[in-house]
Amino acid sequence: MVRDTNRRDVLKATGAAGLAGLLGFSDLGLAQDQRLSWHAGGTGGTYFPLSNELKTIIEDATDFTIQVQSTGASVENVGSLAQGDADFALIQNDVAFFAFNGTGIDAFEGNAVSSLRGVATLYPETIHVVTLADSGIESLSDLEGATVNTGDLGSGTQVNALQILETVGITTDDFEEQNASFAQAADQLRDGDVDAAFVVGGWPLGAIEELATTNDIRIVEIAGDTREGILNASPWFATDRIPAGTYNGVDEDVPTVSVQAMIATREDLSADTVEAVTNAIFDNAGELTIKADFISSDTALDGMSIPLHPGAERIFGAVTVQTPAPGNETMGNETMGNETTQ
């Protein structure tokens, strides 16, 4: 009876498989392949809501289903791509550079993520140094001795904050560092738990907008010799400004610096998939409401810091990226096509 029962089970399973084949579902991997994992950032920043708008565009224009996941952003997203847990992710162009070249960040030193590939750059990610108006903090040098939220531990925000502070002579020994998300940083400022917070993202940032409705805020300028020093020390930064009126109570332009937000993927993802997703985004960029003025195929290679995925190359062509010169941290230029150079 045991053998007969097993035989019946086998026949039933075989019959089910045959029925699935007749109905067109025999390739069970097909449905799996149509689902793509997209890693974004915290809900209080720009990555998460923008990723959901991109999800809508991609799903409307293709047969793919996009699963958007909230994460700790750039550095975490690189790890997700490297491990195959994400198909696409939003990251900063400087973090992408560090990851691909195995330099600049402790997590990447000697651990280059050679499988990381670029899809397109999207928009400037502006450095916000936020404090309350009555904190007495008016310049970066005033952060010495303060309690400062530098962003999620290991995030691109933290990387940028520490780079900027070091440029003006402030090390981690000179202030009390807190690490929390954008939304938590706003709560910490509101509650008096930190004196200032670094927040990196395309303005306006929801967490800062909300804070500015309940508290008088100041966004600390990064200007003059300080800005020039930062630009000279870290060439992935660019000059930027936060326009007057972006946040309640901020009535004048605030000079600062920025990096670039970009879409990244992994080398082993199908070129057809990357091409289809990329075309869907840039053919329908006019449907975006977030950062719509910046996202265009005309600027999709601005600040690209790693080799393009072959699927993106079909659309944009090869790109010249920055690579570290041997033996020092100065960066030279090298044209990157399909070949990987480390």
Side-chain angles (χ1 to χ4, degrees):
M1 288 299 294
V2 171
R3 283 190 306 188
D4 287 343
T5 301
N6 287 344
R7 184 171 180 271
R8 283 196 298 270
D9 291 342
V10 170
L11 288 172
K12 282 195 290 186
T14 303
L19 179 61
L22 290 173
L23 294 176
F25 301 124
S26 58
D27 185 1
L28 298 179
L30 180 60
Q32 182 71 27
D33 290 342
Q34 299 298 92
R35 294 194 298 271
L36 299 173
S37 177
W38 186 293
H39 285 204
T43 56
T46 305
Y47 281 7
F48 189 75
L50 175 59
S51 292
N52 278 289
E53 287 201 352
L54 295 175
K55 165 188 167 73
T56 299
I57 285 174
I58 295 165
E59 290 182 344
D60 286 348
T62 72
D63 293 328
F64 294 112
T65 298
I66 306 296
Q67 298 172 316
V68 175
Q69 182 171 323
S70 174
T71 71
S74 294
V75 176
E76 180 180 332
N77 289 353
V78 169
S80 297
L81 289 169
Q83 294 163 15
D85 295 331
D87 299 304
F88 294 92
L90 295 187
I91 61 177
Q92 294 175 195
N93 66 335
D94 58 326
V95 173
F97 173 86
F98 293 142
F100 183 79
N101 291 288
T103 187
I105 299 175
D106 288 344
F108 303 138
E109 289 288 351
N111 296 296
V113 184
S114 59
S115 60
L116 191 64
R117 292 293 181 272
V119 175
T121 54
L122 297 176
Y123 63 89
E125 287 205 89
T126 305
I127 310 297
H128 298 66
V129 185
V130 188
T131 186
L132 298 186
D134 60 0
S135 68
I137 296 172
E138 298 183 357
S139 67
L140 291 180
S141 60
D142 292 331
L143 296 177
E144 186 169 359
T147 301
V148 183
N149 186 331
T150 60
D152 273 323
L153 191 65
S155 67
T157 297
Q158 185 195 27
V159 171
N160 295 152
L162 297 181
Q163 289 170 340
I164 289 169
L165 290 173
E166 184 177 356
T167 302
V168 297
I170 299 176
T171 70
T172 52
D173 294 329
D174 299 324
F175 69 99
E176 182 179 343
E177 184 178 12
Q178 296 286 318
N179 299 107
S181 68
F182 294 171
Q184 290 172 303
D187 289 338
Q188 288 177 323
L189 284 165
R190 187 181 292 109
D191 297 339
D193 295 330
V194 299
D195 301 305
F198 280 79
V199 185
V200 181
W203 46 260
L205 285 166
I208 301 177
E209 283 186 305
E210 184 178 347
L211 176 65
T213 63
T214 60
N215 296 79
D216 294 332
I217 69 167
R218 172 184 294 121
I219 300 179
V220 179
E221 288 189 353
I222 301 177
D225 292 341
T226 296
R227 182 160 67 176
E228 287 305 310
I230 292 168
L231 296 175
N232 290 335
S234 305
W236 44 83
F237 283 121
T239 298
D240 201 358
R241 68 182 179 90
I242 300 167
T246 299
Y247 302 106
N248 186 48
V250 180
D251 299 325
E252 296 182 358
D253 289 357
V254 180
T256 184
V257 294
S258 65
V259 290
Q260 283 275 338
M262 62 179 285
I263 305 171
T265 187
R266 46 190 173 82
E267 182 181 24
D268 63 350
L269 194 63
S270 159
D272 290 341
T273 295
V274 174
E275 181 182 19
V277 167
T278 306
N279 269 328
I281 291 170
F282 287 94
D283 286 348
N284 299 284
E287 297 178 17
L288 293 168
T289 66
I290 299 172
K291 313 312 293 182
D293 291 342
F294 296 96
I295 299 175
S296 164
S297 58
D298 293 336
T299 57
L301 299 184
D302 289 358
M304 179 56 66
S305 56
I306 58 174
L308 283 183
H309 189 283
E313 284 187 345
R314 292 176 182 176
I315 300 169
F316 303 122
V319 60
T320 300
V321 299
Q322 295 175 311
T323 57
N328 58 54
E329 295 181 359
T330 303
M331 291 185 286
N333 288 330
E334 184 168 349
T335 299
M336 304 293 287
N338 288 327
E339 297 183 3
T340 301
T341 301
Q342 296 187 56

